[in-house]
Amino acid sequence: MSTRALRRLKGKQRGQEALDLGDLTLGDSPEEQAAGEEEQLDTANSKASSRKAKKNKAPKNVSNIYELIGDADNEAENISPDEEAEKPDGNKTSGTEKNDNPGIKKPDQKQDNASTKSLSGDRVKKKKKKKRTKVTLEGGQEAVPEDNIDLLLENLEQTNGLSLQNEDCGGSDRRSVLHVEHRNLNPETELKRYFGARAVQGDQRPRQRNRQFHRSTWMTSPKDSWPRFSRPGISMTLLQSKDGIQFFTFEHGRDYQQVQFKFLDAVESMDPNNIVALLQLNPYHIDSLLQLSDVCRIQEDQEMARDLIERAMYSFECAFHPLFSLTSGTSRLDYLRPENRAFYLALYKHMMFLEKRGCPRTALEYCKLILSLDPDSDPLCMLLLIDFLTLRSREYQSLLQLHQDWEEHRNLSQLPNFAFSTALCHFHLSQQEDVDPEESDKERHKADQLLQNALIMFPGVLIPLLDLCTVQPDPTVTSHAFFGPTSQIGQPPALAELTALYVGRTHSLWREAAVMLWLEESVKEVLRRVDAKDPLVEDCQNKRKQRYQSAPRNIHRHVLLSEIKEATSSLPLEVTSQPVMGFDPLPPLDSVMSYTRPERQHVGATNESTLSLFFRSLLPNFNFQGGPRQEDDMEVARAGQELNQEVNRLMVAMRDMLANIRFQEPPREDNPYRDEEEWD
């Protein structure tokens, strides 16, 4: 009797059996399938017993139906089409029994297919995830998982031959030494490193919940005490892009230009109250903020002065062009345009406040930012300051890298600050505890050599440096002709200016006991070389005579901004004799003006009497002579103008005095019932 007849006798048909894990196999061998067919030809009892045996055997290797189907498919994928064709039909099943009799219909076949599709969908997703884990690159390298971002970036750099931070503005050296990081522009980053986040933030966290909405900025954090920000009329425009460098410029709107004209009138009035009144109407006018900040700083209101500078920087940053970048090193601002100068000055003043606040690392970042805006011209001469900030922040390697990269095309060793600061860097590197003794001796020898060369090239630095360090030099040093008074008197004007600037700024770095002992040893060795007629001494003397005859205008501008009295006293007469405005000190002679100030009506001097001038100060339209006033020659005009100004000042004082006079009124008797103790 056949198997189909046995099923019909039992009232069952093919496909109506319950889905059992025992029926799912991994494609058995032909021998096992033959044994299964023989068991199916037995009686119903023997078939039931054989099914139980299979059911007990199969779960030993199968714990999850999803793993079973996935493994079976993986095995099927590993089989080549040729091998698959050679195998018998019984091996082509994928986890379900093959329909031996196609004439029999299966009512549950659709449900089985649907479940198989869902399982196969999950299987495909799992296969995709497995394939993502390992990907072979074109160069034969094996890619890393997506979770490891650092290794992915390394592979990208190796395959493309580029670094994500090596896109230079014109040379790889500038990108490396002038690299600016956003996080280092925030002084709280440095303060947290010194004192911890809890000490720096304090009670700021709960207050930040109620803060007003402000635009996110990198350089400053807007404060709730500031006036509500509205665009003052400043915008930034991209002029051109050349060799990967973008040239930008700030532009003033028509309304902002009118405010700028009013500001110039307020400056000429020499009254800070006029600037305050202008700033109340235009709270984010840049030049007013800069000028009033200087007034507050002179009056020793440092907090208000710093707050005004931060407000100016916030106004600038809100006007940035979308392509303008603070850190890429590819953005340029021409100092010849007056609209751009205020941004330079705001950054410089903010940098100096940070340095005095005790954040030299943040100040160094702003110094590099200013230098990157125009590294070729260097309008504020930041190369005279970057060494001091680097030593203050103990970034010795970065200063040595800058000197090594720029020495060839900038001759940095011809500046006194770099000649002495590089030697000081090597000395501090030799004093570090984690340095090998051999490396320490090498750094110390390099420091001795550089300091001796610096003293031979710039002998006028020693005596002023010792005076500011309150150190009494040895009589053999002061009496020697090389370091004596003649070395300072015979200096060229530009060299005297640079020497005074360096000594006045960095004398505090030389006060350490170890540094002073090292300096003493080097001075003795220099005197020995001078007495021995070292050819380097005569060579440096000839260089000093030929060079340093006149300093460029950017050095004078830097000295004025630094406000170091030792350096400002050495400025030439043509600089000190002209007025210097805090919002634009020593503007370039070849400035590029985008708009001009309208000419004011100049009132010439007259031959009016003092009485006429007195009445004119009270009544501006009064004309005592009844006719038009005539101008005289230039000398008389200048004298009359000065007299008119003096009289005007006198009249203003008289008006103020008259306005403050209060006459005592007699008591009124209008109300006889008024209480005598009642207030008027």
Side-chain angles (χ1 to χ4, degrees), residues 412-456:
L412 298 182
S413 59
Q414 301 302 314
L415 297 174
N417 59 317
F418 269 94
F420 284 92
S421 296
T422 51
L424 198 57
C425 279
H426 284 287
F427 175 77
H428 285 299
L429 289 175
S430 67
Q431 299 296 314
Q432 293 181 352
E433 298 179 356
D434 56 346
V435 180
D436 296 336
E438 183 179 356
E439 186 68 21
S440 177
D441 295 340
K442 184 179 179 181
E443 293 289 343
R444 179 61 183 269
H445 178 71
K446 185 70 173 177
D448 295 341
Q449 184 180 3
L450 290 176
L451 182 57
Q452 293 173 17
N453 294 339
L455 289 171
I456 292 175

Side-chain angles (χ1 to χ4, degrees), residues 466-494:
L466 295 178
D467 291 342
L468 291 178
C469 293
T470 64
V471 174
Q472 184 66 29
D474 192 82
T476 58
V477 177
T478 56
S479 60
H480 200 282
F482 189 74
F483 290 115
T486 56
S487 63
Q488 303 177 27
I489 298 174
Q491 287 186 128

Side-chain angles (χ1 to χ4, degrees), residues 547-565:
R547 305 170 183 174
Y548 311 107
Q549 295 302 320
S550 61
R553 196 173 180 85
N554 60 342
I555 292 181
H556 298 327
R557 189 182 299 117
H558 178 86
V559 171
L560 289 173
L561 290 173
S562 64
E563 297 182 353
I564 298 175
K565 59 181 181 179

Side-chain angles (χ1 to χ4, degrees), residues 69 99-100 104 154 160 163 170 202 221 278 336 480 554 613:
I69 296 177
N99 189 2
D100 297 331
I104 300 175
E154 290 180 3
N160 298 332
S163 176
S221 299
L278 179 64
L336 298 179
H480 200 282
N554 60 342
L613 294 175

Side-chain angles (χ1 to χ4, degrees), residues 20-22 52-64:
D20 193 8
L21 293 176
K52 289 181 180 180
K54 284 187 178 182
K55 190 173 183 180
N56 294 332
K57 184 179 180 180
K60 292 182 180 180
N61 297 328
V62 179
S63 61
N64 189 352

